[in-house]
Amino acid sequence: MFRPLRFAAALVALATAGGVQAASLLDYVGQCVPFARAASGIQIYGDAWTWWEQADGRYPRGHVPRVGAVIVFAKTSRLPMGHVAVVSRVVEKRVVMLTHANWSRQNGERGHAEQDVTLYDVSPANDWSDVKVWYRDNDGLGGGIYPVKGFVYATGRSAAELTGRHPDDVAALIDAYVPDAGAR
């Protein structure tokens, strides 16, 4: 059920927090944290890597992806502030789609929102502790493996634009399971 007031509030939050006027969630340009907050409804502030600990006792947490949940990437040398993204679709047990901001470059700049990008669980225990993420710059799953703290589950409804009308589940599976699929 679409809630226009909640959606409008999310857009206002994005425009205010990111300093950018956005007509839709997908027009957002800025950091991942304000985007994830507006897209998921989870009201946590601060660097992305702190969301896992901040959610303790405030929001349910776990290690199973669900639509609307925020995945919290750990702080690393490659991600000194961590990263947060919102699960937009569960494709199968090791492949989901994310909607997030400030990952790939678009038109030569970072910060843009991306809808329904592939996230692949590459953890040895199949527990979503290590993942690969679609990286638009090389049109495929990036070469890096990123440690993940887990998923913070939203208690309300996520934004309507979280997933597209016709997400390409087959392409997400190919991205994850077929080596060098980005060359297609």
Side-chain angles (χ1 to χ4, degrees):
M1 169 181 184
F2 179 66
R3 296 184 178 169
L5 289 177
R6 182 181 171 95
F7 181 68
L11 290 179
V12 168
L14 279 173
T16 303
V20 175
Q21 300 267 337
S24 92
L25 185 66
L26 300 177
D27 291 334
Y28 176 76
V29 178
Q31 299 298 317
C32 64
V33 167
F35 181 87
R37 189 170 39 249
S40 69
I42 294 173
Q43 295 302 304
I44 295 179
Y45 294 81
D47 293 339
W49 66 272
T50 68
W51 276 44
W52 182 251
E53 287 78 17
Q54 286 191 63
D56 190 22
R58 293 176 58 195
Y59 291 94
R61 303 181 309 168
H63 300 283
V64 177
R66 295 183 198 156
V67 171
V70 172
I71 185 169
V72 180
F73 289 68
K75 179 179 180 178
T76 66
S77 61
R78 291 181 72 195
L79 293 176
M81 305 303 244
H83 184 69
V84 286
V86 184
V87 176
S88 56
R89 187 170 185 84
V90 176
V91 178
E92 59 100 43
K93 67 181 180 176
R94 295 194 81 172
V95 179
V96 301
M97 291 182 181
L98 299 176
T99 295
H100 61 164
N102 199 26
W103 190 263
S104 299
R105 280 184 283 273
Q106 294 180 37
N107 300 321
E109 65 182 13
R110 290 200 185 278
H112 293 274
E114 294 179 275
Q115 184 184 52
D116 292 327
V117 299
T118 303
L119 178 74
Y120 178 35
D121 172 24
V122 295
S123 60
N126 301 337
D127 63 2
W128 291 93
S129 58
D130 291 306
V131 298
K132 283 190 164 197
V133 185
W134 176 266
Y135 190 56
R136 185 181 205 142
D137 293 34
N138 67 346
D139 202 24
L141 286 174
I145 294 175
Y146 297 92
V148 167
K149 293 187 174 199
F151 297 91
V152 178
Y153 304 116
T155 54
R157 220 173 226 289
S158 53
E161 291 180 288
L162 204 52
T163 189
R165 287 180 175 236
H166 305 288
D168 194 346
D169 292 0
V170 173
L173 291 169
I174 291 170
D175 293 338
Y177 293 116
V178 179
D180 302 319
R184 62 178 188 277

